[in-house]
């Protein structure tokens, strides 16, 4: 999966180079290949994939918090996050939240180190360890497609590079490192816990103060990363799908609303348009929350994202 996904990214970049300035995004390549239908298909896949990523964030946060916050229904924790998520998604200047993305990556690394440290004495003691399990192969391939889905970032990354000719080497190196980490960490945890390896590996951490701090840090960073992951969805919905609804006929006192800016934000909208935009964002956040509550199985939601939108974007 890693190899095929990497090859397809290189093919996408070759198509972008041939199209020149006409191909500023993945959607433009889809439009050049299949017309308006291709453009809409790419946008739909990007939006659904990003919503799926956010569902995975919420399931991760909920299940980790549920270890320490006893409730009859874990969905109560997810619903309690709604005001925070809505408030964050109303922020239109993403540079305010961007540093938290790096913070989240660092905390994930800390979490992995903590899992390895606490599990090192159990290596090789897992029960019912098998080279493969046929019944779970579909979920495995879906999660693999999800894990290596980065094609949507290929063209923006290529466009932002000072030396774009080095893109293949940078992408290959990054994919190689990620693949090695996935395989080695997954094999290590499976050898430690065998058939009872949890879907969310941080669940194996003991209930100590250190583990609690790691868990709180991970949950906080993912909560702050949520609006960053939702931004492509907001941009697609607000500037394309609901363009007419959010842009009524301007009056002399109204400026043109919701114009994408170079810094990754939307230009200030007039009062009624901002209100409508906020309502749309609330609806999208609530849809994401309800979806994560309806499908609380972490592996299933990842496999679903990987087998549908990520699979289409990466391989089709």
């Amino acid at each position: 999966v890693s190899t095929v996904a990497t090859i397809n990214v290189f093919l996408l970049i070759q198509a972008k180079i041939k199209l020149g300035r006409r191909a500023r995004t993945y959607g433009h390549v889809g439009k050049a290949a299949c017309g308006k239908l291709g453009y809409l298909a790419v946008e739909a896949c990007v939006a659904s994939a990003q919503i799926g990523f956010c569902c995975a964030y919420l399931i991760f946060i909920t299940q980790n918090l549920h270890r320490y916050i006893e409730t009859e229904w874990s969905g109560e924790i997810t619903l309690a996050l709604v005001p925070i998520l809505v408030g964050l998604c109303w922020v239109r200047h993403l540079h305010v939240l961007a540093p938290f993305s790096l913070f989240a990556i660092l905390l994930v690394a800390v979490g992995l180190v903590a899992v390895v440290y606490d599990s090192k004495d159990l290596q090789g003691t897992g029960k019912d360890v098998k080279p493969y399990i046929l019944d779970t192969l579909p979920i495995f391939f879906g999660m693999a497609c999800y894990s290596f889905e980065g094609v949507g970032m290929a063209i923006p990354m290529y466009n932002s590079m000072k030396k774009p000719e080095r893109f293949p080497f940078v992408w290959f190196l990054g994919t190689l490192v990620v693949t090695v980490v996935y395989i080695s960490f997954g094999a290590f945890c499976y050898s430690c816990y065998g058939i009872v390896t949890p879907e969310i590996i941080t669940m194996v951490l003991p209930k100590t103060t250190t583990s609690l701090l790691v868990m709180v840090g991970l949950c906080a960073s993912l909560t702050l990363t949520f609006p960053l992951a939702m931004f492509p969805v907001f941009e697609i919905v607000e500037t394309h799908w609901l363009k007419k609804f959010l842009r009524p006929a301007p009056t002399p006192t109204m400026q043109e609303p919701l114009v994408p800016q170079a810094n990754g934000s939307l230009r200030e909208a007039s009062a009624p348009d901002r209100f409508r935009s906020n309502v749309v964002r609330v609806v999208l956040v609530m849809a994401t929350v309800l979806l994560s509550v309806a499908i609380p199985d972490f592996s299933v939601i990842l496999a679903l994202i990987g087998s549908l939108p990520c699979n289409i974007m990466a391989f089709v």
Side-chain angles (χ1 to χ4, degrees):
V1 174
S2 172
T3 302
V4 175
T6 302
I7 292 173
N8 286 342
V9 166
F10 292 162
L11 291 175
L12 176 65
I13 294 300
Q14 290 177 11
K16 180 260 185 295
I17 293 173
K18 288 183 179 179
L19 292 172
R21 295 183 178 179
R22 288 186 298 162
R24 297 187 302 276
T25 66
Y26 192 0
H28 293 127
V29 176
K31 185 176 183 179
C34 303
K36 187 175 181 180
L37 179 61
Y39 184 75
L40 292 176
V42 170
E43 284 196 332
C45 286
V46 170
S48 57
Q50 293 299 129
I51 288 176
F53 298 157
C54 291
C55 287
Y57 291 169
L58 293 178
I59 294 172
F60 180 94
I61 294 169
T62 299
Q63 293 195 14
N64 275 279
L65 290 178
H66 196 237
R67 293 184 67 196
Y68 297 90
I69 303 175
E70 296 183 2
T71 59
E72 294 183 3
W73 179 46
S74 62
E76 296 176 15
I77 298 175
T78 311
L79 295 175
L81 294 172
V82 170
I84 299 174
L85 298 176
V86 169
L88 290 172
C89 288
W90 280 348
V91 176
R92 283 165 169 76
H93 301 286
L94 293 185
H95 64 272
V96 176
L97 299 172
F100 294 104
S101 179
L102 177 59
F103 181 58
I105 294 174
L106 293 175
L107 284 176
V108 167
V110 171
L112 296 181
V113 172
V115 169
V116 171
Y117 179 79
D118 286 325
S119 305
K120 64 181 186 301
D121 295 333
L122 300 175
Q123 187 174 6
T125 63
K127 296 181 179 180
D128 297 328
V129 175
K130 301 176 182 179
Y132 60 88
I133 303 175
L134 290 177
D135 293 342
T136 58
L137 278 180
I139 291 180
F140 166 77
F141 282 112
M143 294 189 70
C145 292
Y146 164 87
S147 300
F148 291 104
E149 194 288 306
V151 68
M153 292 299 298
I155 292 180
M157 180 177 173
Y158 179 87
N159 291 336
S160 64
M161 291 184 68
K162 188 175 182 179
K163 297 181 179 180
E165 65 275 6
R166 299 192 63 185
F167 174 85
F169 171 76
V170 173
W171 191 273
F172 173 79
L173 181 62
T175 303
L176 179 63
V177 171
V178 169
T179 303
V180 170
V181 171
Y182 281 162
I183 293 175
S184 57
F185 184 76
F188 172 80
C189 292
Y190 188 50
S191 72
C192 293
Y193 302 100
I195 197 68
V196 296
T197 304
E199 298 169 354
I200 299 177
I201 197 60
T202 52
M203 302 296 283
V204 304
L205 293 174
K207 290 186 177 181
T208 62
T209 303
T210 302
S211 299
L212 176 61
L213 292 175
V214 170
M215 184 275 296
V216 170
L218 283 171
C219 293
S221 62
L222 288 178
T223 301
L224 293 167
T225 305
F226 182 92
L228 295 175
M230 285 295 291
F231 180 77
V233 182
F234 297 149
E235 186 174 25
I236 289 172
V237 172
E238 293 177 359
T239 61
H240 295 93
W241 297 354
L242 296 181
K243 181 178 180 180
K244 293 183 179 179
F245 172 73
L246 295 173
R247 295 188 183 185
T251 65
T253 59
M254 289 175 59
Q255 60 182 357
E256 185 69 14
L258 300 172
V259 179
Q261 299 296 291
N263 62 359
S265 64
L266 297 177
R267 193 170 66 190
E268 198 75 13
S270 58
D273 294 309
R274 174 177 282 276
F275 174 77
R276 293 183 183 184
S277 173
N278 287 342
V279 170
V280 168
R281 294 190 177 203
V282 170
V283 171
L284 290 172
V285 170
M286 284 302 304
T288 305
V289 169
L290 293 177
L291 184 60
S292 68
V293 171
I295 312 177
D297 193 312
F298 191 68
S299 62
V300 170
I301 195 71
L302 294 189
L304 184 64
I305 304 166
S307 60
L308 292 175
C310 293
N311 191 16
I312 294 171
M313 286 193 296
F315 304 126
V316 179

